[in-house]
Amino acid sequence: MTPLATISTALFSWGTLFIQVIILVGAIVLTMVIFRHPSEALHRLSRKAADHAFLWGFIVSFVSLVSSLFYSNIVNFPPCELCWWQRVFLYPQAFLFAIALYNEKVRKVQDDMVFLYSLVLSIIGGGIAIFHYYGQMFAPGLLAACLADGVSCSQLFFVSFGYITIPMMSLTAYAFLVFLYFFRKHHRKA
């Protein structure tokens, strides 16, 4: 790997780990808010995070879009067929959240349907990412069909922290967007 690829992979891997911690902590906080009637400070923090859900969705989906393009166009990691399918379900979300964020900040309109669209796209894309990750890490023969005319889907460009690969980065982004849907949905009811 080139020095640029090494540095960028380290940054993206740490970012993935950070998002995974946010999902874990957020799930604990949301569970406490739903079932335990937390302190007022924790409830305010949770509500504040939910109020900025369009921004969080935009940041995660946009960084995912840029990082995937960075890997394929600058670092020259050619995307396989399953990577392309994951992109199909991720890229539109950056635009959906950008429009929703614009509407919220400029037009003062909140379109929570964006979270439903994101949920559907994220569940499908996340399913592809799980299949891709499982095939890369545990059953490369499962991905043999991907080799037909291009990059093998079982090819590992890197493994960080013993488990973070490109499909795991994708899965983490999808998991965050799914979590965001439930987080926002709970707080819109409350």
Side-chain angles (χ1 to χ4, degrees):
M1 251 197 298
T2 66
L4 178 63
T6 303
I7 292 169
S8 59
T9 296
L11 288 173
F12 292 140
S13 296
W14 278 104
T16 300
L17 195 59
F18 179 70
I19 294 296
Q20 290 171 346
V21 169
I22 287 175
I23 293 168
L24 182 63
V25 170
I28 291 168
V29 167
L30 184 59
T31 302
M32 288 176 65
V33 167
I34 292 172
F35 296 112
R36 294 192 153 220
H37 305 293
S39 68
E40 186 59 35
L42 186 60
H43 191 68
R44 273 196 318 270
L45 175 67
S46 180
R47 164 76 71 195
K48 190 90 163 152
D51 288 344
H52 296 292
F54 291 125
L55 177 63
W56 300 124
F58 173 71
I59 289 170
V60 168
S61 58
F62 184 74
V63 168
S64 298
L65 182 151
V66 169
S67 64
S68 73
L69 290 174
F70 176 80
Y71 272 133
S72 61
N73 294 324
I74 296 176
V75 178
N76 293 319
F77 289 169
C80 68
E81 187 174 340
L82 289 176
C83 289
W84 276 113
W85 279 107
Q86 290 169 70
R87 289 175 177 198
V88 164
F89 293 100
L90 185 62
Y91 285 10
Q93 294 192 55
F95 296 100
L96 287 172
F97 279 111
I99 292 166
L101 187 60
Y102 171 81
N103 284 337
E104 179 187 45
K105 298 299 181 193
V106 176
R107 297 180 59 216
K108 307 296 184 208
V109 175
Q110 291 192 355
D111 182 11
D112 280 344
M113 287 301 291
V114 167
F115 293 105
L116 182 60
Y117 306 147
S118 174
L119 177 69
V120 172
L121 291 169
S122 294
I123 288 173
I124 297 168
I128 296 168
I130 289 170
F131 177 75
H132 192 184
Y133 182 76
Y134 177 79
Q136 275 190 339
M137 298 300 283
F138 306 109
L142 190 64
L143 302 176
C146 290
L147 191 57
D149 187 29
V151 179
S152 171
C153 292
S154 62
Q155 181 177 358
L156 285 168
F157 291 103
F158 62 86
V159 178
S160 297
F161 305 117
Y163 76 101
I164 294 178
T165 63
I166 291 174
M168 178 54 73
M169 289 178 177
S170 173
L171 178 59
T172 300
Y174 284 126
F176 180 83
L177 294 170
V178 167
F179 170 74
L180 199 59
Y181 166 81
F182 290 106
F183 198 75
R184 176 71 174 213
K185 183 176 179 181
H186 169 74
H187 282 289
R188 297 312 273 174
K189 280 195 276 184

